[in-house]
Amino acid sequence: IQLTQSPSSLSASVGDRVTITCRASQGISNYLAWYQQKPGMAPKLLIYGASTLQSGVPSRFSGSGSGTDFALTISSLQPEDFATYYCQQLNSYPLTFGGGTKVEIK
Amino acid sequence: QLQLQESGPGLVKPSETLSLTCSVSGASISSSNDYWHWFRQPPGKGLEWIGYIHYSGTTYYNPSLKSRVTISVDTSKIQFSLKLNSVTAADTAVYYCARPRSNNLHEAFDIWGRGTMVTVSS
């Protein structure tokens, strides 16, 4: 299953609302996760089940979607949110990831 | 608290075998009924799933790597290993071990090792 993330990069300011989308090449129900990755670090789980916030993750992060179209929204971008974000499908094996979205400071 | 730690050679010659170990602390592989996974990430690129092993020894690999990959569990049940043979420069990457949120094959991954960089070069 191929996952297409967009945009591949974006520039935003602190306080901005940011939305990243992920489209699956076939239906994956709600078996989608979102991760945040900072340079030199392992991915960090933000959202699972397409819309469930992982424990300890700030409530400014939210996920939505089902089937083939999904989105990750950051309601008010904070300095620590500048990172690369990946979606991952867990519907079927082999597990696959989107190409990533790099969120940079404007 | 469960922690994972990858270890192994940072440099492997082309055509040789890459061997990595993931040490598990805070849990027992043999009693947890969990699936233990490997991922990798080439420099500046995205993430790729390599395969998993269940505590029972059942494995499943990415078809793109299946002919070259072996994942095993140490008999002491406190670590699991990755072997990738006939490596080329394309196998240069940071390798991560990870465990999903529960013993469900459709669960996301909340526990990751810190990753270990492996370079394939003569």
Side-chain angles (χ1 to χ4, degrees), chain B residues 52-99:
Chain B
Y52 71 69
I53 187 164
H54 186 251
Y55 85 110
S56 64
T58 300
T59 55
Y60 190 80
Y61 306 130
N62 192 322
S64 68
L65 298 169
K66 183 178 180 179
S67 63
R68 300 193 292 129
V69 171
T70 303
I71 299 176
S72 59
V73 171
D74 184 271
T75 53
S76 67
K77 304 296 187 182
I78 59 171
Q79 60 185 27
F80 60 106
S81 301
L82 169 70
K83 291 187 186 298
L84 181 65
N85 59 37
S86 304
V87 297
T88 69
D91 296 310
T92 293
V94 176
Y95 286 76
Y96 295 100
C97 53
R99 194 209 69 175

Side-chain angles (χ1 to χ4, degrees), chain B:
Chain B
Q1 183 176 355
L2 178 66
Q3 290 185 319
L4 305 177
Q5 176 73 58
E6 305 89 348
S7 60
L11 182 64
V12 180
K13 289 182 169 54
S15 81
E16 295 190 345
T17 297
L18 177 160
S19 296
L20 297 175
T21 295
C22 180
S23 298
V24 179
S25 59
S28 170
I29 291 178
S30 60
S31 63
S32 64
N33 199 30
D34 283 322
Y35 294 88
W36 305 88
H37 296 244
W38 285 99
F39 296 85
R40 69 180 183 178
Q41 185 172 35
K45 297 187 177 181
L47 293 152
E48 180 181 31
W49 175 78
I50 298 172
Y52 71 69
I53 187 164
H54 186 251
Y55 85 110
S56 64
T58 300
T59 55
Y60 190 80
Y61 306 130
N62 192 322
S64 68
L65 298 169
K66 183 178 180 179
S67 63
R68 300 193 292 129
V69 171
T70 303
I71 299 176
S72 59
V73 171
D74 184 271
T75 53
S76 67
K77 304 296 187 182
I78 59 171
Q79 60 185 27
F80 60 106
S81 301
L82 169 70
K83 291 187 186 298
L84 181 65
N85 59 37
S86 304
V87 297
T88 69
D91 296 310
T92 293
V94 176
Y95 286 76
Y96 295 100
C97 53
R99 194 209 69 175
R101 295 181 61 254
S102 71
N103 56 3
N104 179 323
L105 282 170
H106 301 288
E107 268 290 10
F109 296 82
D110 62 339
I111 306 294
W112 294 73
R114 298 179 68 174
T116 187
M117 179 68 200
V118 179
T119 301
V120 178
S121 175
S122 54

Side-chain angles (χ1 to χ4, degrees), chain A residues 5-53:
Chain A
Q5 264 183 258
S6 61
S8 56
S9 65
L10 64 90
S11 295
S13 300
V14 172
D16 284 354
R17 181 182 181 88
V18 169
T19 297
I20 299 166
T21 64
C22 179
R23 173 165 288 179
S25 58
Q26 63 189 74
I28 58 171
S29 184
N30 68 337
Y31 292 114
L32 188 103
W34 289 96
Y35 298 87
Q36 176 193 69
Q37 188 178 35
K38 296 182 178 179
M41 298 184 68
K44 174 188 176 183
L45 178 63
L46 300 175
I47 301 283
Y48 62 93
S51 60
T52 303
L53 195 66

